Amino acid sequence: METTKPTVVVIGNGMVGYKFCEKLVAKSKDFNVIVFGEESRIAYDRVHLSEYFSGKTADDLSLSSSDWYKENGITLYLGDPVQEINRTAKTVHSLHGMAIQYDYLVLATGSSAFVPNIPGVEKDGVFVYRTIEDLELIQSYAGKAKRGAVIGGGLLGLEAAKALLDLGIPETHVVEFAPRLMPRQIDDVGSKMLQYKLSQLGLQIHLNKNTSSIEGNGKIEALQFADDSKLHVDMLVISAGIRPRDELARLSGLEVGSRGGILVNEKLQTSDASIFAIGECALYNNMIYGLVAPGYDMAEVVAANICGGSKSFTGFDMSTKLKLIGVDVASFGDPFISEPECRSVIFEDTHKGTYKRINITQDGKHLLGGILIGDASAYNMLLQTVNNKIVLPPDPEDLILGSRGGAASEGAGVMNLPDDALICSCEAVSKGAICAAVTEQNACTIDQMKKCTKAGTGCGGCVPMVKDLIAGTMKSQGLYVKNVICEHFDYSRQELFDLIKINGIKTYDETLNLYGKGDGCEVCKPAVASIMASLWNDMILKQDTIQDSNDRYLANIQKGGTYSVVPRIAGGEITPEKLIALGEVAKKYGLYTKITGGQRIDMFGAHVSDLPKIWEELIAAGFESGHAYGKSLRTVKSCVGSTWCRFGLHDSVSFAIEIEERYRGVRAPHKLKGGVSGCIRECAEAQGKDFGIIATEKGWNLYVCGNGGSKPQHAQLLAADVDKETCIKYLDRFLIFYIKTADPLTRTATWLNKMEGGMSYLKNVIVNNSLGIGAQLEAEMQYLVETYKCEWKEVVETPELRKRFNHFVNAPVEKDPTVKFESMRAQIKAVEW
Amino acid sequence: MSLSESLEFQNVQSSVTGARIKWFIACSVEDVPENGGACVKYGEEQIAVYNFTRRGEWFATQNLCPHKQQMVLSRGMIGSHGEHCEPKVACPFHKKTFSLLTGDCLNSDDCESIKTYPVKVKEGKVYIGVGIETI
Ligand code: SRM
Ligand SMILES: Cc1cc2nc3c(=O)[nH]c(=O)nc-3n(C[C@H](O)[C@H](O)[C@H](O)COP(=O)(O)OP(=O)(O)OC[C@H]3O[C@@H](n4cnc5c(N)ncnc54)[C@H](O)[C@@H]3O)c2cc1C
Ligand code: SF4
Ligand code: FES
């Protein structure tokens, strides 16, 4: 039956040619599809071509596989360009001599880089930026180059320039003929801001420069400009625009535009009704669409029409976002329209390097277009507002400044879009389709959504919006978003805590086998580690690789990869001998020293391999771990209290030390801090801590759930005028209750804020023992207190554990050579990132 | 293992391409903690090698985290991502995660990818593929 199928021949296996095949076979299997490609590779993602330089391989960029073509019955001839079309016989003829008869012919020949006729362009070291081969050539030449330039300051030129920088060319220039960068997308002020941002990245920009010749003996040595100036470079990438590949069409007598491009109507038919042109080779309405999304749209129109549909191409929005790493640039709608046709709202922050302009109709109702530099986070929303003619709020400046004081959240904005709003323009997925995928196909993650609808699989620019839509739809469906730990466990921390406890589970692997799926991650591993530490108090390094990095190395990792060392100085009290010992160790290992905000001494800049040696000396001098690295008790801050202070009511230092030693090493969902003050003047700031104790005439007041940090909160009174023993009893109960029930990484203040019933409920459980678990909570704390061991002491004494503190496994004596310090006020300091 | 020993090369022919992968003996299996990573020195390069015991697989990537240029990926936690259980490593600094298969950053669009290396284990030794030699 093969022979009766009509034959569709596609010339060009680029992005659009491939998309056409994909769409056609999805709609119908009743065609015999034959594809000719000039490049030797299967269609690849040209849009992300630059990522080839950051490690992506040609395979990664590939859009499909030869198997895919086979499975779909498509014959693919690669490295075999079509050289002739015989329109009367309806045949195509390829370089290698294939002759194929077609019923429908689709030209998807794309475009090539436009190379202006500058004397010297043929010299070595001059490149264009279009194919993987181009990039391979650039990469191999770049190794020898010290100064590179790009001609063309448009979207592609800037991308190429960034690529040269990333290839390690120390000096990279951009030469633009126009008086501004990205002249087709942004205005003068925007261009100045962009220029400033790019110069920070290390690019040197030259505007108003007309290159008159390329100088050099065989290979490029300099650019000569019309204004008589000169720029010495040893490598050049020309990115001066694109030229549609219409040579085959021209040769076959198809009509082409005066400045190139194959003429097509709204059905994308050329002047020969059985021949179509799509993608960057097609000239529609005097316009070449140099972006991938309109090309995909054209592919859809032709595929649908061949299958009997009647779709039309009616032009496409050319809004763009530059995907240069490090600089946000976007332009949408009509970026240039100005007074009196519209009102422009402009926001400029020269300090931060942001420029935002929106153009609004005179009546203030609609958005016409705009420009975003430095911060393009509003791009998707603004683009939707233009495309869907959404009526603007009374204060349209909120669109770029963010609402100040208003309650409208960004998520709500997305949900207000009409159903036909195009969210993913690469794959033409509407808001309606995305919401339907959530409600009907239960696509609740971005990965599932990509699979169901393909939204977000193209340039990826719409992903944040798609996420908001998923969340918004789930919420409007009343879907319960369960507070699970992560994708690997369908349980909350509290549920998991109970499961682990009741079943006596001792390892993470067992937990994952019994209650989880997948291989775990950086969220559930430390959460389970913390649960097990709180329950069993086993040596942390028994399961070292499920610990957060700081717990794994029993020290806090610092900028540059060195560690800090914080021995416990309980209550902030320290003898002169111990002070001297700290000073000696710091001197010996070249450490920076500082008094912390927690009344102790921190020593920074230790190499990982020095840690066991440092701790060996500290332990010999009577110190122990300060657990500054753990989600565990940090410090119990004290004031000097009744031993010296003329106002002191009780001995706050002794009590602070007693408590710090009681709870040292106890692991919790987050860190714990305490304080003990000798009177109501509160010099220990106890009410800013997770637990705070203040001396009264009759005993001690116990406060809980205070917090410093970014959202400070005062602790609240749990019990008044209690004696020491009662105070400790309540503290035991309080801490274990918190450890058992809080979500991961939730401080006591946040835990209380989320607790139903709040402080009165907590008081009931802890003080009135309303749940009858008081004794059990105390016993569990007592177990932790009795099983405490200094982790560092164990490491120092155990050779196998010491061995884990090396930078290189195959060169244990060598330190990380990339660690670098600077000096400041006679001490070391990590170098800036 | 001594440094000189670990720098010796083993050349094994790839049956698929005819080209040879240049293998380098990085360390012994027991040098790398179970379900964790370690850092290996290869000339001037630093390579993070991961013993993904749970999957029975080994992976290797550059040790440098591209986010803030920190030499720390070997100290990161490994795990899996998504329905297809893509193996990944999380940088200990700011928790950017990278696919151990492709090197792509999985939780940020503007973070560069990292380099990955082939790994094989033979007779208790871990070999890292550090290049291709044509014959
Ligand atoms: C060293 C120190 C600053 C100093 O030089 O004084 C410090 C340093 C760090 N603090 Fe702090 N904080 C230090 C006292 C404080 C204080 C003051 C205090 O304890 O009285 C606070 C406010 C009180 C509080 O916690 O409620 C404080 C609130 C934070 C927070 C915010 C916590 C919150 O609930 O919002 C963080 C972030 C976090 O933990 O997630 C943080 C995190 C950090 C980290 C761990 C950040 C990090 O991940 O690298 C820093 C690590 C230091 C290191 O490597 O050793 N640090 N930090 C202080 C060490 C105290 C100690 O001896 O252990
Ligand atoms: C570095 C770079 C970055 C880009 N970034 C973006 C971006 O961020 N956003 C965006 O929307 N667009 C971007 N683009 C543009 C986008 O890649 C193009 O719009 C898209 O590739 C056009 O697809 P096409 O199929 O029309 O052309 P192409 O992908 O060029 O494919 C045409 C193919 O046809 C082949 N061919 C030509 N003649 C023949 C013949 N006679 N016989 C057989 N085969 C033939 C060519 O060799 C080529 O392989 C970028 C382009 C580049 C180069
Ligand atoms: S809190 Fe009271 S006892 Fe402590 S120092 Fe201040 S005044 Fe003195
Ligand atoms: S340095 Fe790795 S995530 Fe920031």
mmCIF file of all heavy atoms in Angstrom, chain A residues 487-488 513 518-520 525 545 548 552 558 560-561 563 807 809-810 814 816 833, chain B residues 26 34 37 39 41 46 54-55 70-71 75 77-80 82 88 93 95:
data_model
loop_
_atom_site.group_PDB
_atom_site.id
_atom_site.type_symbol
_atom_site.label_atom_id
_atom_site.label_comp_id
_atom_site.label_asym_id
_atom_site.label_seq_id
_atom_site.Cartn_x
_atom_site.Cartn_y
_atom_site.Cartn_z
ATOM 1 N N GLU A 487 10.182 14.965 47.293
ATOM 2 C CA GLU A 487 9.607 14.026 46.329
ATOM 3 C C GLU A 487 9.838 12.557 46.695
ATOM 4 O O GLU A 487 9.202 11.677 46.137
ATOM 5 C CB GLU A 487 10.170 14.296 44.919
ATOM 6 C CG GLU A 487 11.687 14.188 44.843
ATOM 7 C CD GLU A 487 12.238 14.259 43.403
ATOM 8 O OE1 GLU A 487 12.031 13.310 42.641
ATOM 9 O OE2 GLU A 487 12.872 15.281 43.051
ATOM 10 N N HIS A 488 10.768 12.297 47.615
ATOM 11 C CA HIS A 488 11.079 10.898 47.912
ATOM 12 C C HIS A 488 10.282 10.301 49.066
ATOM 13 O O HIS A 488 10.292 9.104 49.271
ATOM 14 C CB HIS A 488 12.581 10.752 48.198
ATOM 15 C CG HIS A 488 13.428 11.244 47.073
ATOM 16 N ND1 HIS A 488 14.116 12.425 47.119
ATOM 17 C CD2 HIS A 488 13.628 10.738 45.834
ATOM 18 C CE1 HIS A 488 14.728 12.626 45.959
ATOM 19 N NE2 HIS A 488 14.447 11.616 45.166
ATOM 20 N N ASN A 513 14.033 2.504 51.853
ATOM 21 C CA ASN A 513 13.478 1.259 51.321
ATOM 22 C C ASN A 513 12.052 1.043 51.800
ATOM 23 O O ASN A 513 11.193 0.614 51.036
ATOM 24 C CB ASN A 513 14.322 0.057 51.751
ATOM 25 C CG ASN A 513 15.662 0.040 51.038
ATOM 26 O OD1 ASN A 513 15.822 0.697 50.014
ATOM 27 N ND2 ASN A 513 16.624 -0.684 51.584
ATOM 28 N N GLY A 518 12.800 6.359 44.982
ATOM 29 C CA GLY A 518 13.939 7.040 44.365
ATOM 30 C C GLY A 518 15.196 6.859 45.202
ATOM 31 O O GLY A 518 15.290 5.938 46.011
ATOM 32 N N ASP A 519 16.136 7.746 45.021
ATOM 33 C CA ASP A 519 17.424 7.597 45.699
ATOM 34 C C ASP A 519 17.686 8.678 46.736
ATOM 35 O O ASP A 519 18.820 8.899 47.127
ATOM 36 C CB ASP A 519 18.557 7.602 44.656
ATOM 37 C CG ASP A 519 18.358 6.520 43.619
ATOM 38 O OD1 ASP A 519 17.986 5.398 44.012
ATOM 39 O OD2 ASP A 519 18.544 6.783 42.419
ATOM 40 N N GLY A 520 16.641 9.400 47.149
ATOM 41 C CA GLY A 520 16.838 10.412 48.169
ATOM 42 C C GLY A 520 17.418 11.695 47.615
ATOM 43 O O GLY A 520 17.690 11.797 46.418
ATOM 44 N N LYS A 525 17.620 13.556 53.129
ATOM 45 C CA LYS A 525 18.729 12.905 53.837
ATOM 46 C C LYS A 525 19.035 13.602 55.169
ATOM 47 O O LYS A 525 19.015 12.958 56.214
ATOM 48 C CB LYS A 525 19.967 12.842 52.944
ATOM 49 C CG LYS A 525 19.833 11.778 51.858
ATOM 50 C CD LYS A 525 21.104 11.665 51.021
ATOM 51 C CE LYS A 525 20.977 10.497 50.044
ATOM 52 N NZ LYS A 525 22.199 10.348 49.229
ATOM 53 N N THR A 545 27.367 10.394 54.902
ATOM 54 C CA THR A 545 26.961 10.985 53.625
ATOM 55 C C THR A 545 25.490 11.396 53.568
ATOM 56 O O THR A 545 25.028 11.880 52.554
ATOM 57 C CB THR A 545 27.273 10.037 52.453
ATOM 58 O OG1 THR A 545 26.657 8.777 52.709
ATOM 59 C CG2 THR A 545 28.767 9.861 52.287
ATOM 60 N N ASP A 548 24.149 16.977 56.237
ATOM 61 C CA ASP A 548 24.450 18.215 55.544
ATOM 62 C C ASP A 548 25.961 18.411 55.605
ATOM 63 O O ASP A 548 26.606 17.942 56.540
ATOM 64 C CB ASP A 548 23.754 19.383 56.253
ATOM 65 C CG ASP A 548 22.777 20.066 55.335
ATOM 66 O OD1 ASP A 548 23.057 20.117 54.122
ATOM 67 O OD2 ASP A 548 21.733 20.538 55.820
ATOM 68 N N ARG A 552 28.741 16.720 58.072
ATOM 69 C CA ARG A 552 29.605 15.653 57.567
ATOM 70 C C ARG A 552 31.067 15.922 57.933
ATOM 71 O O ARG A 552 31.827 15.006 58.171
ATOM 72 C CB ARG A 552 29.438 15.538 56.060
ATOM 73 C CG ARG A 552 30.333 14.469 55.459
ATOM 74 C CD ARG A 552 29.996 14.171 54.020
ATOM 75 N NE ARG A 552 31.039 13.354 53.430
ATOM 76 C CZ ARG A 552 31.191 13.173 52.140
ATOM 77 N NH1 ARG A 552 30.336 13.737 51.291
ATOM 78 N NH2 ARG A 552 32.160 12.428 51.681
ATOM 79 N N GLN A 558 33.172 27.382 54.689
ATOM 80 C CA GLN A 558 33.241 28.827 54.469
ATOM 81 C C GLN A 558 33.539 29.110 53.010
ATOM 82 O O GLN A 558 33.973 28.221 52.279
ATOM 83 C CB GLN A 558 34.352 29.436 55.330
ATOM 84 C CG GLN A 558 34.241 29.110 56.810
ATOM 85 C CD GLN A 558 33.038 29.758 57.451
ATOM 86 O OE1 GLN A 558 32.596 30.817 57.027
ATOM 87 N NE2 GLN A 558 32.485 29.124 58.471
ATOM 88 N N GLY A 560 35.283 29.743 49.796
ATOM 89 C CA GLY A 560 36.596 29.256 49.384
ATOM 90 C C GLY A 560 36.827 27.799 49.742
ATOM 91 O O GLY A 560 37.809 27.209 49.316
ATOM 92 N N GLY A 561 35.932 27.196 50.570
ATOM 93 C CA GLY A 561 36.041 25.772 50.840
ATOM 94 C C GLY A 561 36.813 25.411 52.101
ATOM 95 O O GLY A 561 37.050 24.243 52.363
ATOM 96 N N TYR A 563 37.153 25.693 56.473
ATOM 97 C CA TYR A 563 36.164 25.486 57.525
ATOM 98 C C TYR A 563 36.430 26.382 58.729
ATOM 99 O O TYR A 563 37.545 26.876 58.926
ATOM 100 C CB TYR A 563 36.176 24.022 57.958
ATOM 101 C CG TYR A 563 35.552 23.136 56.896
ATOM 102 C CD1 TYR A 563 36.311 22.627 55.847
ATOM 103 C CD2 TYR A 563 34.191 22.854 56.932
ATOM 104 C CE1 TYR A 563 35.724 21.841 54.860
ATOM 105 C CE2 TYR A 563 33.597 22.072 55.960
ATOM 106 C CZ TYR A 563 34.369 21.563 54.931
ATOM 107 O OH TYR A 563 33.781 20.808 53.958
ATOM 108 N N HIS A 807 41.420 16.419 51.477
ATOM 109 C CA HIS A 807 40.827 17.010 50.279
ATOM 110 C C HIS A 807 40.889 16.038 49.109
ATOM 111 O O HIS A 807 39.903 15.799 48.433
ATOM 112 C CB HIS A 807 41.487 18.339 49.921
ATOM 113 C CG HIS A 807 40.816 19.012 48.754
ATOM 114 N ND1 HIS A 807 39.538 19.515 48.848
ATOM 115 C CD2 HIS A 807 41.206 19.201 47.476
ATOM 116 C CE1 HIS A 807 39.171 20.008 47.668
ATOM 117 N NE2 HIS A 807 40.163 19.830 46.819
ATOM 118 N N VAL A 809 41.492 12.169 47.821
ATOM 119 C CA VAL A 809 41.672 10.791 48.288
ATOM 120 C C VAL A 809 42.950 10.189 47.749
ATOM 121 O O VAL A 809 43.532 9.318 48.366
ATOM 122 C CB VAL A 809 40.539 9.818 47.868
ATOM 123 C CG1 VAL A 809 39.462 9.799 48.900
ATOM 124 C CG2 VAL A 809 40.043 10.051 46.482
ATOM 125 N N ASN A 810 43.378 10.634 46.572
ATOM 126 C CA ASN A 810 44.564 10.007 45.991
ATOM 127 C C ASN A 810 45.835 10.798 46.279
ATOM 128 O O ASN A 810 46.889 10.489 45.747
ATOM 129 C CB ASN A 810 44.378 9.793 44.486
ATOM 130 C CG ASN A 810 44.150 11.105 43.738
ATOM 131 O OD1 ASN A 810 43.799 12.104 44.358
ATOM 132 N ND2 ASN A 810 44.366 11.098 42.442
ATOM 133 N N GLU A 814 48.163 16.457 50.288
ATOM 134 C CA GLU A 814 48.063 17.745 49.598
ATOM 135 C C GLU A 814 46.807 18.501 49.998
ATOM 136 O O GLU A 814 45.731 17.941 50.090
ATOM 137 C CB GLU A 814 48.045 17.505 48.080
ATOM 138 C CG GLU A 814 49.423 17.305 47.522
ATOM 139 C CD GLU A 814 49.395 17.203 46.001
ATOM 140 O OE1 GLU A 814 48.879 18.139 45.350
ATOM 141 O OE2 GLU A 814 49.868 16.181 45.494
ATOM 142 N N ASP A 816 43.976 21.606 49.209
ATOM 143 C CA ASP A 816 43.339 22.139 48.010
ATOM 144 C C ASP A 816 44.114 23.364 47.525
ATOM 145 O O ASP A 816 44.149 24.387 48.193
ATOM 146 C CB ASP A 816 41.890 22.520 48.334
ATOM 147 C CG ASP A 816 41.172 23.113 47.129
ATOM 148 O OD1 ASP A 816 41.792 23.210 46.050
ATOM 149 O OD2 ASP A 816 39.991 23.471 47.281
ATOM 150 N N TRP A 833 34.150 36.170 46.026
ATOM 151 C CA TRP A 833 33.705 35.404 44.876
ATOM 152 C C TRP A 833 33.158 36.287 43.827
ATOM 153 O O TRP A 833 32.972 37.433 43.990
ATOM 154 C CB TRP A 833 32.730 34.312 45.172
ATOM 155 C CG TRP A 833 31.653 34.431 46.177
ATOM 156 C CD1 TRP A 833 30.890 35.517 46.489
ATOM 157 C CD2 TRP A 833 31.183 33.358 47.017
ATOM 158 N NE1 TRP A 833 29.980 35.183 47.444
ATOM 159 C CE2 TRP A 833 30.135 33.880 47.785
ATOM 160 C CE3 TRP A 833 31.556 32.018 47.167
ATOM 161 C CZ2 TRP A 833 29.454 33.095 48.699
ATOM 162 C CZ3 TRP A 833 30.860 31.274 48.063
ATOM 163 C CH2 TRP A 833 29.825 31.804 48.844
ATOM 164 N N ALA B 26 41.955 6.320 39.613
ATOM 165 C CA ALA B 26 41.716 7.435 40.524
ATOM 166 C C ALA B 26 41.981 7.031 41.970
ATOM 167 O O ALA B 26 42.669 7.733 42.699
ATOM 168 C CB ALA B 26 40.290 7.923 40.368
ATOM 169 N N GLU B 34 30.321 5.218 50.923
ATOM 170 C CA GLU B 34 29.098 4.739 50.293
ATOM 171 C C GLU B 34 28.096 5.868 50.154
ATOM 172 O O GLU B 34 27.923 6.665 51.061
ATOM 173 C CB GLU B 34 28.492 3.617 51.150
ATOM 174 C CG GLU B 34 29.356 2.389 51.097
ATOM 175 C CD GLU B 34 28.625 1.158 51.613
ATOM 176 O OE1 GLU B 34 27.472 1.292 52.059
ATOM 177 O OE2 GLU B 34 29.226 0.069 51.537
ATOM 178 N N GLY B 37 30.712 11.170 47.984
ATOM 179 C CA GLY B 37 31.745 11.512 47.019
ATOM 180 C C GLY B 37 33.106 11.713 47.654
ATOM 181 O O GLY B 37 33.248 11.760 48.878
ATOM 182 N N CYS B 39 37.172 13.609 46.420
ATOM 183 C CA CYS B 39 37.832 14.408 45.389
ATOM 184 C C CYS B 39 39.144 13.746 44.981
ATOM 185 O O CYS B 39 39.913 13.279 45.818
ATOM 186 C CB CYS B 39 38.087 15.810 45.932
ATOM 187 S SG CYS B 39 39.073 16.799 44.809
ATOM 188 N N LYS B 41 42.678 14.041 42.543
ATOM 189 C CA LYS B 41 43.549 14.971 41.845
ATOM 190 C C LYS B 41 44.023 14.307 40.561
ATOM 191 O O LYS B 41 44.508 13.174 40.578
ATOM 192 C CB LYS B 41 44.745 15.262 42.746
ATOM 193 C CG LYS B 41 45.720 16.268 42.220
ATOM 194 C CD LYS B 41 46.788 16.471 43.294
ATOM 195 C CE LYS B 41 48.069 17.000 42.713
ATOM 196 N NZ LYS B 41 48.084 18.418 42.497
ATOM 197 N N GLN B 46 40.739 18.851 39.357
ATOM 198 C CA GLN B 46 40.134 18.200 40.509
ATOM 199 C C GLN B 46 38.836 17.551 40.032
ATOM 200 O O GLN B 46 37.978 18.225 39.470
ATOM 201 C CB GLN B 46 39.829 19.207 41.600
ATOM 202 C CG GLN B 46 41.076 19.910 42.120
ATOM 203 C CD GLN B 46 40.839 20.602 43.457
ATOM 204 O OE1 GLN B 46 39.844 20.352 44.136
ATOM 205 N NE2 GLN B 46 41.769 21.461 43.841
ATOM 206 N N ARG B 54 23.665 2.893 46.381
ATOM 207 C CA ARG B 54 22.259 2.529 46.291
ATOM 208 C C ARG B 54 21.880 2.096 44.879
ATOM 209 O O ARG B 54 21.065 1.214 44.676
ATOM 210 C CB ARG B 54 21.393 3.709 46.719
ATOM 211 C CG ARG B 54 19.939 3.332 46.788
ATOM 212 C CD ARG B 54 19.054 4.448 47.249
ATOM 213 N NE ARG B 54 17.682 4.104 46.910
ATOM 214 C CZ ARG B 54 16.914 3.322 47.640
ATOM 215 N NH1 ARG B 54 17.356 2.813 48.743
ATOM 216 N NH2 ARG B 54 15.680 3.049 47.237
ATOM 217 N N ARG B 55 22.478 2.742 43.880
ATOM 218 C CA ARG B 55 22.168 2.391 42.498
ATOM 219 C C ARG B 55 23.173 1.393 41.938
ATOM 220 O O ARG B 55 23.036 0.953 40.800
ATOM 221 C CB ARG B 55 22.221 3.645 41.619
ATOM 222 C CG ARG B 55 21.242 4.710 42.021
ATOM 223 C CD ARG B 55 21.550 6.015 41.325
ATOM 224 N NE ARG B 55 21.288 5.986 39.903
ATOM 225 C CZ ARG B 55 20.232 6.537 39.320
ATOM 226 N NH1 ARG B 55 19.335 7.166 40.056
ATOM 227 N NH2 ARG B 55 20.070 6.491 38.022
ATOM 228 N N GLN B 70 33.341 27.287 43.582
ATOM 229 C CA GLN B 70 33.864 26.656 44.791
ATOM 230 C C GLN B 70 34.247 25.201 44.504
ATOM 231 O O GLN B 70 33.485 24.466 43.886
ATOM 232 C CB GLN B 70 32.806 26.710 45.903
ATOM 233 C CG GLN B 70 32.360 28.132 46.249
ATOM 234 C CD GLN B 70 33.456 28.945 46.919
ATOM 235 O OE1 GLN B 70 33.973 28.587 47.963
ATOM 236 N NE2 GLN B 70 33.813 30.058 46.303
ATOM 237 N N MET B 71 35.418 24.787 45.016
ATOM 238 C CA MET B 71 35.930 23.432 44.786
ATOM 239 C C MET B 71 35.308 22.457 45.764
ATOM 240 O O MET B 71 35.985 21.950 46.672
ATOM 241 C CB MET B 71 37.447 23.448 45.001
ATOM 242 C CG MET B 71 38.224 23.782 43.767
ATOM 243 S SD MET B 71 37.962 22.530 42.501
ATOM 244 C CE MET B 71 38.947 23.252 41.193
ATOM 245 N N ARG B 75 32.030 17.151 48.112
ATOM 246 C CA ARG B 75 31.515 17.130 49.483
ATOM 247 C C ARG B 75 30.003 17.304 49.493
ATOM 248 O O ARG B 75 29.384 17.480 50.533
ATOM 249 C CB ARG B 75 32.156 18.240 50.309
ATOM 250 C CG ARG B 75 33.680 18.136 50.337
ATOM 251 C CD ARG B 75 34.321 19.205 51.188
ATOM 252 N NE ARG B 75 35.687 19.489 50.741
ATOM 253 C CZ ARG B 75 36.380 20.544 51.130
ATOM 254 N NH1 ARG B 75 35.859 21.423 51.963
ATOM 255 N NH2 ARG B 75 37.610 20.729 50.670
ATOM 256 N N MET B 77 25.897 16.344 48.678
ATOM 257 C CA MET B 77 25.070 15.159 48.878
ATOM 258 C C MET B 77 24.553 14.668 47.545
ATOM 259 O O MET B 77 24.194 15.481 46.694
ATOM 260 C CB MET B 77 23.900 15.547 49.755
ATOM 261 C CG MET B 77 23.803 14.708 50.986
ATOM 262 S SD MET B 77 22.427 15.251 51.939
ATOM 263 C CE MET B 77 23.117 16.622 52.785
ATOM 264 N N ILE B 78 24.495 13.346 47.356
ATOM 265 C CA ILE B 78 23.955 12.848 46.106
ATOM 266 C C ILE B 78 22.551 12.309 46.328
ATOM 267 O O ILE B 78 22.145 12.040 47.445
ATOM 268 C CB ILE B 78 24.867 11.773 45.462
ATOM 269 C CG1 ILE B 78 25.122 10.627 46.418
ATOM 270 C CG2 ILE B 78 26.174 12.385 45.009
ATOM 271 C CD1 ILE B 78 25.957 9.519 45.794
ATOM 272 N N GLY B 79 21.809 12.192 45.243
ATOM 273 C CA GLY B 79 20.435 11.737 45.351
ATOM 274 C C GLY B 79 19.846 11.627 43.969
ATOM 275 O O GLY B 79 20.583 11.565 42.973
ATOM 276 N N SER B 80 18.516 11.586 43.907
ATOM 277 C CA SER B 80 17.893 11.485 42.590
ATOM 278 C C SER B 80 16.829 12.545 42.433
ATOM 279 O O SER B 80 16.308 13.087 43.398
ATOM 280 C CB SER B 80 17.312 10.107 42.370
ATOM 281 O OG SER B 80 16.159 9.940 43.175
ATOM 282 N N GLY B 82 13.291 13.668 40.197
ATOM 283 C CA GLY B 82 12.214 13.430 39.236
ATOM 284 C C GLY B 82 11.823 11.978 39.087
ATOM 285 O O GLY B 82 12.401 11.072 39.671
ATOM 286 N N LYS B 88 21.810 12.895 40.891
ATOM 287 C CA LYS B 88 22.240 14.292 40.980
ATOM 288 C C LYS B 88 23.150 14.495 42.180
ATOM 289 O O LYS B 88 23.203 13.668 43.078
ATOM 290 C CB LYS B 88 21.014 15.201 41.109
ATOM 291 C CG LYS B 88 20.242 14.972 42.399
ATOM 292 C CD LYS B 88 19.186 16.038 42.621
ATOM 293 C CE LYS B 88 18.445 15.820 43.937
ATOM 294 N NZ LYS B 88 17.455 16.838 44.232
ATOM 295 N N PHE B 93 27.231 24.443 49.108
ATOM 296 C CA PHE B 93 27.181 25.883 49.383
ATOM 297 C C PHE B 93 25.782 26.464 49.298
ATOM 298 O O PHE B 93 25.270 26.999 50.265
ATOM 299 C CB PHE B 93 28.129 26.640 48.448
ATOM 300 C CG PHE B 93 29.478 26.821 49.056
ATOM 301 C CD1 PHE B 93 30.386 25.782 49.049
ATOM 302 C CD2 PHE B 93 29.835 28.010 49.668
ATOM 303 C CE1 PHE B 93 31.629 25.927 49.633
ATOM 304 C CE2 PHE B 93 31.069 28.174 50.255
ATOM 305 C CZ PHE B 93 31.978 27.130 50.233
ATOM 306 N N LYS B 95 23.201 24.753 47.454
ATOM 307 C CA LYS B 95 22.276 23.707 47.058
ATOM 308 C C LYS B 95 21.828 23.788 45.605
ATOM 309 O O LYS B 95 20.709 23.435 45.266
ATOM 310 C CB LYS B 95 21.042 23.680 47.985
ATOM 311 C CG LYS B 95 21.381 23.386 49.427
ATOM 312 C CD LYS B 95 21.538 21.895 49.678
ATOM 313 C CE LYS B 95 22.479 21.614 50.834
ATOM 314 N NZ LYS B 95 21.926 21.849 52.153
#
